[in-house]
Amino acid sequence: MLFTGTHIHKLDRKGRVSVPKRFRAALELEEFAGIYLYQSHKESALEGCSHSHMERIAASLDELDMFSDEADDLADTILGSSHMLPYDGEGRIILPAELIEFARIEDQVAFVGRGRTFRLWNPDIFKPLQEASRTRTLNRGATLKLKPMTELPKGARPGTMNEEDAS
Amino acid sequence: MLFTGTHIHKLDRKGRVSVPKRFRAALELEEFAGIYLYQSHKESALEGCSHSHMERIAASLDELDMFSDEADDLADTILGSSHMLPYDGEGRIILPAELIEFARIEDQVAFVGRGRTFRLWNPDIFKPLQEASRTRTLNRGATLKLKPMTELPKGARPGTMNEEDAS
DNA sequence: TGGGAAATGATGGGGGTCAATGGGATTTGA
DNA sequence: TCAAATCCCATTGACCCCCATCATTTCCCA
């Protein structure tokens, strides 16, 4: 149930692109056969997630004060600008023109796994950023403190579903 | 079911507008085939929801002190000014003149998903506001604290069908 | 271990279907 | 009786189903 790796696929003349088989497999138990995409806040990229992840975002927004400005902004930015994209018979989606333009995608799309979510990039834009990010990580000598297995929620091995990152 | 995305439809000469297919699908199990609309108290927009959500609002109002000013005001603004709008055979509603005027809608209507509810806007008014929301969200460095999967309602998660529930 | 089937995933494109829209006809209700 | 709401049907264009082809990987067996 994790999205991992980078997969580059072609955007065809009809605006369609195949969702990588690995990603589709990670989504196959979902009630909605397709993915959600919305514009990233920080990057020239698209954020992608599953239906259940989107439900989780909506449920989390419900918890914020219903009339707070922050909830309003997040609802407009995430829920209001998201696109629900069903697969066709071959597991492709149609990338809306608005999103193609935003992410400055041309004839290729990079699907980049980020665990529970993934991103879509113009490969030419993503590549140098990835290198820079790798360099920063190395220079920083960053290490990741792993949670002990025993603290993970039940069923977290194949069907893991608990982390806090929504960026 | 969730309301997501922004869908722009045309308001015809008879004051009719098609409810987006995706939104109708999210409502199809409702007992009332149509939607509720009322004036937003913060924005130049219309709040929209399903019959069952309106029930939920009424129930929440019940919990407030029955004679408080706040309950009075909310009852007036929400329940008192709400319109129950049935679909015609093609899934359209007739937008009451009062609401068209309030939201300053002209020949187009933007349906904007907000999870359990949605809003109707004049697209020309909504667009710059959405941009501003995005900017504020970015500057605020806002991240959404996601609820743990286990607190989501059944059916909102794929785990309902796999080993996670078995234990 | 090399090479060729066979299976599977990715890509291309034709055409049918249905959602969105427009407008006329009929009914309802004040 | 008139106006507004509802029903009904026509049009159109985007989307989705289907199939054909191409590219890779896997598998099998010599």
Side-chain angles (χ1 to χ4, degrees), chain B residues 47-65:
Chain B
E47 302 281 343
C49 69
S50 67
H51 179 76
S52 56
H53 194 267
M54 193 56 87
E55 295 265 10
R56 199 176 146 203
I57 290 178
S60 306
L61 280 176
D62 278 351
E63 307 238 314
L64 290 180
D65 178 357

Side-chain angles (χ1 to χ4, degrees), chain B residues 10 12-14 16 21 24 92:
Chain B
K10 216 167 168 188
D12 70 18
R13 269 189 293 172
K14 290 178 167 181
R16 298 176 301 189
K21 180 70 204 326
R24 292 205 302 271
R92 291 174 288 199

Side-chain angles (χ1 to χ4, degrees), chain A residues 18-74:
Chain A
S18 292
V19 175
K21 183 69 204 334
R22 290 272 164 72
F23 284 25
R24 291 205 303 268
L27 293 164
E28 66 191 0
L29 292 180
E30 295 284 329
E31 62 176 284
F32 162 63
I35 63 175
Y36 285 81
L37 290 180
Y38 57 93
Q39 301 172 5
S40 165
H41 305 154
K42 307 180 178 178
E43 317 276 5
S44 175
L46 307 174
E47 303 283 339
C49 71
S50 67
H51 179 79
S52 57
H53 192 87
M54 195 56 88
E55 286 271 5
R56 231 179 125 191
I57 292 176
S60 305
L61 277 175
D62 264 357
E63 297 249 305
L64 293 180
D65 179 356
M66 206 173 161
F67 303 121
S68 81
D69 292 338
E70 190 174 349
D72 262 5
D73 286 349
L74 282 169

Side-chain angles (χ1 to χ4, degrees), chain A residues 89-138:
Chain A
E90 281 70 42
R92 291 173 290 198
I93 55 168
I94 298 181
L95 262 195
E98 180 194 359
L99 298 184
I100 292 178
E101 193 180 343
F102 176 81
R104 289 180 284 153
I105 286 168
E106 283 150 23
D107 60 341
Q108 288 194 319
V109 183
F111 287 76
V112 182
R114 292 176 65 81
R116 318 291 174 215
T117 62
F118 54 92
R119 284 186 181 160
L120 267 56
W121 289 88
N122 174 335
D124 298 334
I125 298 176
F126 174 66
K127 205 166 177 210
L129 290 178
Q130 186 183 35
E131 312 259 327
S133 149
R134 158 180 289 277
T135 306
R136 278 197 305 274
T137 302
L138 289 179

Side-chain angles (χ1 to χ4, degrees), chain B residues 39-152:
Chain B
Q39 302 174 3
S40 164
H41 65 277
K42 308 174 57 167
E43 318 272 6
S44 175
L46 308 173
E47 302 281 343
C49 69
S50 67
H51 179 76
S52 56
H53 194 267
M54 193 56 87
E55 295 265 10
R56 199 176 146 203
I57 290 178
S60 306
L61 280 176
D62 278 351
E63 307 238 314
L64 290 180
D65 178 357
M66 223 170 164
F67 303 112
S68 76
D69 291 341
E70 192 183 355
D72 259 9
D73 290 348
L74 281 173
D76 283 346
T77 43
I78 297 180
L79 297 178
S81 78
S82 74
H83 293 250
M84 186 179 176
L85 305 172
Y87 301 138
D88 70 8
E90 280 71 41
R92 291 174 288 199
I93 55 168
I94 297 181
L95 262 194
E98 179 194 0
L99 298 184
I100 292 178
E101 193 179 342
F102 176 80
R104 288 181 282 154
I105 285 168
E106 284 151 23
D107 59 341
Q108 288 193 319
V109 183
F111 287 75
V112 181
R114 295 176 65 81
R116 316 289 169 214
T117 63
F118 53 91
R119 283 185 182 160
L120 267 55
W121 290 88
N122 174 335
D124 297 333
I125 297 176
F126 176 65
K127 205 169 176 205
L129 291 179
Q130 188 183 36
E131 293 296 325
S133 278
R134 172 178 301 285
T135 307
R136 279 195 300 275
T137 300
L138 173 57
N139 290 340
R140 193 184 283 141
T143 54
L144 182 61
K145 198 82 174 172
L146 289 181
K147 289 181 77 166
M149 212 55 172
T150 48
E151 288 177 23
L152 291 184

